[in-house]
Amino acid sequence: MSETLSCDDRGVIVVCSGCDTGNRIAYSRIGQKGRCGTCGKDLPAISQAVDITSSASFDKLVADSPLPVVVDFWAPWCGPCQMVGPEFSKAAKQAAGEVVFAKVNTETQPAIASRFSVRGIPAFALLENGAVVRQITGARMAAQLLEWIRQS
Ligand SMILES: [Zn+2]
């Protein structure tokens, strides 16, 4: 199983545990139960971080997702980001069905990072209905991330 889920400008790709077929879950249907289009088995909840590979996908995700979205801004050269990666994945598993976790590589997606005025990484942003609720900079453990996400 790969560490992150892929996506396109229409939805997140979830692999069926029954037949290994990739199924697209439309961004507007995130958090709802879905079935595999090939074998009919219930699809797993989104419990892994989604790897954002374009601005179009990012915009659609944050605009359409019924669940809040937390973004991890990272880069391959950033040491603390490598430590945060597994913690972010752990938090994604623990908050499955509650929040969607998305990873933005600031090297390949500088346009998204600049919109959030990201200067230091790792940095995190929490969005609801397409709007930023809060942002923080600096490494966080999974428990700290979840606490930060869940504070009202
Ligand atoms: Zn299937």
Side-chain angles (χ1 to χ4, degrees):
M1 188 180 269
S2 73
E3 208 176 296
T4 56
L5 298 173
S6 59
C7 66
D8 59 19
D9 56 5
R10 290 191 286 159
V12 180
I13 312 301
V14 174
V15 175
C16 172
S17 60
C19 70
D20 283 340
T21 304
N23 284 255
R24 183 188 293 103
I25 297 179
Y27 291 121
S28 60
R29 296 178 62 92
I30 281 175
Q32 296 179 25
K33 287 222 183 290
R35 282 202 175 157
C36 176
T38 302
C39 75
K41 193 176 168 161
D42 285 345
L43 291 172
I46 295 175
S47 60
Q48 290 164 277
V50 180
D51 188 27
I52 303 293
T53 47
S54 77
S55 289
S57 303
F58 182 80
D59 291 344
K60 198 90 171 102
L61 166 65
V62 299
D64 289 1
S65 173
L67 300 179
V69 178
V70 60
V71 186
D72 172 18
F73 293 98
W74 70 286
W77 49 262
C78 159
C81 297
Q82 311 309 320
M83 283 160 44
V84 163
E87 295 296 319
F88 195 73
S89 298
K90 199 164 138 191
K93 195 169 280 179
Q94 288 174 7
E98 178 190 347
V99 186
V100 179
F101 289 69
K103 289 179 79 79
V104 170
N105 180 336
T106 58
E107 288 280 286
T108 58
Q109 305 300 325
I112 301 173
S114 74
R115 273 158 47 189
F116 287 81
S117 305
V118 171
R119 287 184 187 88
I121 50 171
F124 306 93
L126 179 68
L127 293 97
E128 273 178 24
N129 304 312
V132 178
V133 178
R134 51 184 168 265
Q135 290 183 239
I136 43 165
T137 304
R140 296 288 190 286
M141 304 300 278
Q144 294 173 310
L145 272 173
L146 291 170
E147 194 182 324
W148 176 75
I149 290 163
R150 288 167 176 161
Q151 68 185 244
S152 53

Coordinates of all heavy atoms in Angstrom, one line a residue, residues 16 18-21 36 38-41, ligand 1:
C16 N -9.4 -0.2 -4.3 CA -10.3 -1.2 -3.7 C -9.5 -2.3 -3.1 O -8.6 -2.9 -3.7 CB -11.2 -1.8 -4.8 SG -12.2 -3.2 -4.2
G18 N -10.6 -5.2 -2.5 CA -11.1 -6.5 -3.0 C -10.4 -6.8 -4.3 O -10.0 -8.0 -4.5
C19 N -10.3 -5.8 -5.2 CA -9.9 -6.2 -6.6 C -8.7 -5.3 -7.1 O -8.3 -5.4 -8.2 CB -11.0 -6.1 -7.6 SG -11.6 -4.4 -7.9
D20 N -8.2 -4.4 -6.2 CA -7.1 -3.5 -6.5 C -7.4 -2.5 -7.6 O -6.4 -1.9 -8.1 CB -5.8 -4.4 -6.9 CG -5.1 -5.0 -5.7 OD1 -5.4 -4.4 -4.6 OD2 -4.4 -5.9 -5.9
T21 N -8.6 -2.3 -7.9 CA -9.0 -1.3 -8.9 C -9.0 0.1 -8.3 O -9.5 0.3 -7.2 CB -10.4 -1.5 -9.5 OG1 -10.4 -2.9 -10.1 CG2 -10.7 -0.6 -10.6
C36 N -16.9 0.0 -4.8 CA -16.0 -0.2 -6.0 C -16.9 -0.4 -7.2 O -17.8 -1.1 -7.2 CB -15.2 -1.4 -5.8 SG -14.2 -1.9 -7.2
T38 N -16.0 -1.8 -9.9 CA -15.7 -3.0 -10.6 C -16.3 -4.2 -9.8 O -17.0 -5.0 -10.4 CB -14.2 -3.2 -10.7 OG1 -13.6 -2.1 -11.4 CG2 -13.8 -4.5 -11.4
C39 N -16.0 -4.3 -8.5 CA -16.5 -5.5 -7.8 C -17.6 -5.3 -6.8 O -18.2 -6.2 -6.2 CB -15.3 -6.2 -7.1 SG -14.7 -5.4 -5.6
G40 N -17.9 -4.0 -6.5 CA -19.0 -3.7 -5.6 C -18.7 -3.7 -4.2 O -19.6 -3.4 -3.3
K41 N -17.5 -4.0 -3.8 CA -17.1 -4.0 -2.4 C -17.0 -2.5 -1.9 O -16.7 -1.6 -2.6 CB -15.7 -4.6 -2.3 CG -15.3 -4.9 -0.8 CD -14.0 -5.7 -0.8 CE -13.6 -5.7 0.7 NZ -12.7 -6.6 1.2
Ligands
ZN1 ZN -13.2 -3.7 -6.3

